[in-house]
């Protein structure tokens, strides 16, 4: 165990404690100050400093080794669970060369040019969602806007027909719990397996549809790669379409919800955006930094490596607390203050290195257009429950289950 640098012992890490979920930042601060590279009693290491994570995300001595890591922690049986087996086929947890091959198949759908071309369509979708609720004088931001918008955008990209979208728009089916450092119970794993199988049935049908009726969409591209036979297996096709659907909306949903909550808990910052909407693009990075919708990412050491004054052996499991890095005072002055005019913001919310989030620019664009529309169309919006928000029981994917809003 890393010796603490101060007299006090490192705090206990319980990421499913409701108090921790409500506000993990005091814990991060205490851990950064006492043991910035810390081995937990559960056997994995926590990193809390920006500099250490920025290094580890890019250094090839840190990889994913998803299967090896799972087997070491839970035994070989775990890899046969449908939810785990499906995740193992995604680029999210793959190392090169498989990661390079899978990511290369979808990169062109997320280029800066393609994303910029989507701006008019996304702006129209934002207005459409607000038109549905504006005369009511109230909405649940999560259900009526933050969830619906990115779901429609990723359905467009994947070529999911409009008549198939109702179940996806109804609510989130993301197995976020599968990404938590705390092991799942048997009941949770059974539910994740059921969700994975149901999603697999649908995405298989979508692939069959695009074989018969190809379109200019991402699913058609991936089906062609699978039919070529040398780039994508059938299991990889299904798993990565599921990944793109989930990753394509879940984190953006939470960026919008967490961001709007933060702005209304710091009303002077909301007023700044209303007075000067040109700050909004910069404000998105500050909101990502301030309360990231992804709080951690995992790695495994491929070789012995020194980081933060600690030597890690090969095959160690690392949990990088991205939310802690984003509030590191060595990187950001006054890090617990929300400042939409802050300069030189480089949040680690989208990860880094070869696994840097493919959809980062798309998420930023969607959030920018949402906040622009809100300050223009609903400048007197209020959040009645902002002081007691309903956080989901999830730590890795940080977000709200509901966020009521009212306006005159």
């Amino acid at each position: 165990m890393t010796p603490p640098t101060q007299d006090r012992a490192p705090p206990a890490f319980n990421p499913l404690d409701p108090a921790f979920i409500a506000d993990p930042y005091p814990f991060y601060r205490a851990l950064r100050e006492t043991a910035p590279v810390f081995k937990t009693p559960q056997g994995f290491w926590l990193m809390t400093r920006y500099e250490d994570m920025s290094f580890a995300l890019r250094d090839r001595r840190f990889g994913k080794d998803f299967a090896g890591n799972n087997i070491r922690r839970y035994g070989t049986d775990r890899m046969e669970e449908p939810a785990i087996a499906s995740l193992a086929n995604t680029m999210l947890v793959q190392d090169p060369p498989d990661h390079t091959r899978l990511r290369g198949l979808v990169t062109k759908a997320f280029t800066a040019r393609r994303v910029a071309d989507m701006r008019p369509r996304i702006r129209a979708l934002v207005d459409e969602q607000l038109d549905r609720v504006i005369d009511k004088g109230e909405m649940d931001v999560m259900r009526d806007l933050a969830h619906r918008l990115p779901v429609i955008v990723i359905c467009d990209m994947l070529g999911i027909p409009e008549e198939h979208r109702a179940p996806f728009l109804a609510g989130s089916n993301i197995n976020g719990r599968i990404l938590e450092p705390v092991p799942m119970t048997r009941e949770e794993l059974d539910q994740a397996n059921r969700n994975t199988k149901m999603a697999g049935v649908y995405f298989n049908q979508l692939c069959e549809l695009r074989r018969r009726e190809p379109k200019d969409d991402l699913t058609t591209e991936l089906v062609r790669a699978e039919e070529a036979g040398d780039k994508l297996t059938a299991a990889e096709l299904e798993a990565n379409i599921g990944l793109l659907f989930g990753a394509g909306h879940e984190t953006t949903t939470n960026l919008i919800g967490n961001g709007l909550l933060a702005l209304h808990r710091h009303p002077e910052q909301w007023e700044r955006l209303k007075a000067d909407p040109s700050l909004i693009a910069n404000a998105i990075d500050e909101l990502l930094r301030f309360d990231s919708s992804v709080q951690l990412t995992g790695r495994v050491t491929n070789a012995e490596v020194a980081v933060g004054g600690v030597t890690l052996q090969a095959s160690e499991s690392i949990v990088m607390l991205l939310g802690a890095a984003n509030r590191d005072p060595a990187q950001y002055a006054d890090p617990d203050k929300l400042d939409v005019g802050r300069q030189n913001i480089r949040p680690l919310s989208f990860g880094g290195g070869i696994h840097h989030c493919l959809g980062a620019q798309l998420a930023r664009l969607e959030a920018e257009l949402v906040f622009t529309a809100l300050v223009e169309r609903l400048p007197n919006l209020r959040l009645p429950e902002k002081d007691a928000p309903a956080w989901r029981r999830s730590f890795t994917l940080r977000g709200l289950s509901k966020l009521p809003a009212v306006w005159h």
Side-chain angles (χ1 to χ4, degrees):
M1 189 167 298
T2 315
T5 53
Q6 298 184 3
D7 294 338
R8 52 200 169 114
F13 181 55
N14 179 9
L16 296 182
D17 175 9
F20 176 85
I21 286 173
D23 185 8
Y25 297 102
F27 169 84
Y28 293 160
R29 184 167 56 247
L31 199 55
R32 253 194 330 264
E33 291 170 358
T34 55
V37 181
F38 169 65
K39 191 165 191 178
T40 67
Q42 296 95 333
F44 53 83
W45 293 80
L46 295 176
M47 285 186 189
T48 47
R49 290 193 299 211
Y50 187 101
E51 185 182 3
D52 295 340
M53 277 179 257
S54 192
F55 160 73
L57 286 167
R58 290 164 178 80
D59 192 282
R60 292 301 177 90
R61 286 170 292 183
F62 293 86
K64 288 286 188 172
D65 188 23
F66 181 72
N69 197 36
N70 263 281
I71 289 165
R72 281 190 294 276
R73 288 185 69 187
Y74 308 115
T76 51
D77 295 353
R78 185 72 176 265
M79 295 306 295
E80 291 161 21
E81 302 283 353
I84 306 293
S86 177
L87 185 58
N89 275 309
T90 68
M91 66 185 109
L92 183 70
V93 301
Q94 295 272 13
D95 289 311
D98 288 328
H99 171 267
T100 314
R101 168 177 58 85
L102 292 171
R103 187 171 170 118
L105 292 171
V106 296
T107 300
K108 63 184 172 193
F110 293 92
T111 61
R113 171 87 182 272
R114 285 289 280 268
V115 170
D117 287 347
M118 294 165 72
R119 180 179 281 268
R121 163 71 174 156
I122 295 172
R123 178 64 212 242
L125 285 170
V126 174
D127 283 331
E128 210 174 275
Q129 307 322 303
L130 292 181
D131 290 343
R132 294 172 73 247
V133 297
I134 201 157
D135 291 338
K136 297 178 189 171
E138 63 178 20
M139 68 171 160
D140 175 356
V141 173
M142 303 312 294
R143 180 193 65 217
D144 296 319
L145 178 62
H147 176 71
R148 285 182 64 86
L149 172 75
V151 166
I152 295 169
V153 171
I154 198 64
C155 283
D156 281 357
M157 294 182 77
L158 287 171
I160 294 175
E162 293 212 11
E163 62 271 22
H164 294 180
R165 296 182 183 184
F168 298 120
L169 289 166
S172 178
N173 300 307
I174 303 305
N175 292 330
R177 184 70 181 84
I178 206 169
L179 302 171
E180 304 284 356
V182 177
M184 298 166 82
T185 64
R186 182 68 250 173
E187 187 181 7
E188 288 172 325
L189 198 48
D190 287 343
Q191 183 60 51
N193 288 338
R194 285 193 291 273
N195 289 354
T196 299
K197 286 175 181 173
M198 280 172 59
V201 168
Y202 177 73
F203 291 124
N204 269 327
Q205 290 172 348
L206 178 65
C207 291
E208 287 307 313
L209 177 65
R210 289 294 163 252
R211 283 192 178 94
R212 295 193 308 273
E213 301 172 24
K215 295 261 175 84
D216 180 21
D217 60 42
L218 200 41
T219 301
T220 301
E221 289 276 325
L222 292 172
V223 164
R224 284 177 179 145
E226 186 235 5
E227 286 175 339
D230 57 342
K231 292 179 179 166
L232 196 66
T233 67
E236 288 172 335
L237 174 65
E238 179 191 309
N240 283 281
I241 289 177
L243 171 72
L244 287 165
F245 177 77
H249 80 275
E250 178 73 13
T251 51
T252 308
T253 295
N254 294 332
L255 165 58
I256 293 166
N258 298 1
L260 192 63
L261 176 65
L263 288 167
H264 281 76
R265 286 173 135 184
H266 301 79
E268 76 289 350
Q269 300 300 310
W270 177 244
E271 293 302 322
R272 282 178 78 184
L273 294 187
K274 288 198 296 187
D276 183 4
S278 72
L279 286 170
I280 289 175
N282 187 76
I284 300 309
D285 274 340
E286 173 68 347
L287 294 169
L288 282 161
R289 182 199 72 80
F290 186 76
D291 200 9
S292 177
S293 50
V294 179
Q295 286 285 310
L296 66 82
T297 187
R299 294 292 187 274
V300 175
T301 49
N302 295 326
E304 184 182 291
V305 56
V307 60
V310 176
T311 300
L312 303 174
Q313 302 304 312
S315 301
E316 294 280 11
S317 178
I318 316 296
V319 170
M320 300 184 199
L321 295 170
L322 304 173
N326 288 340
R327 298 245 195 142
D328 186 342
Q331 185 69 20
Y332 299 108
D334 207 355
D336 294 323
K337 178 185 175 188
L338 182 70
D339 175 8
V340 296
R342 188 186 292 272
Q343 296 300 298
N344 302 315
I345 315 167
R346 293 186 299 279
L348 293 183
S349 309
F350 291 118
I354 63 170
H355 285 281
H356 184 265
C357 175
L358 258 176
Q361 287 309 107
L362 179 59
R364 283 190 176 97
L365 176 61
E366 290 179 61
E368 178 195 331
L369 293 173
V370 164
F371 287 110
T372 300
L374 288 174
V375 300
E376 288 174 357
R377 298 187 61 185
L378 295 173
N380 60 356
L381 178 142
R382 292 184 299 108
L383 303 177
E385 296 180 13
K386 71 179 194 298
D387 297 323
W391 294 106
R392 288 167 48 190
R393 190 174 177 267
S394 170
F395 163 59
T396 304
L397 301 177
R398 177 169 174 76
L400 298 154
S401 57
K402 63 186 173 94
L403 184 61
V406 295
W407 55 88
H408 300 302

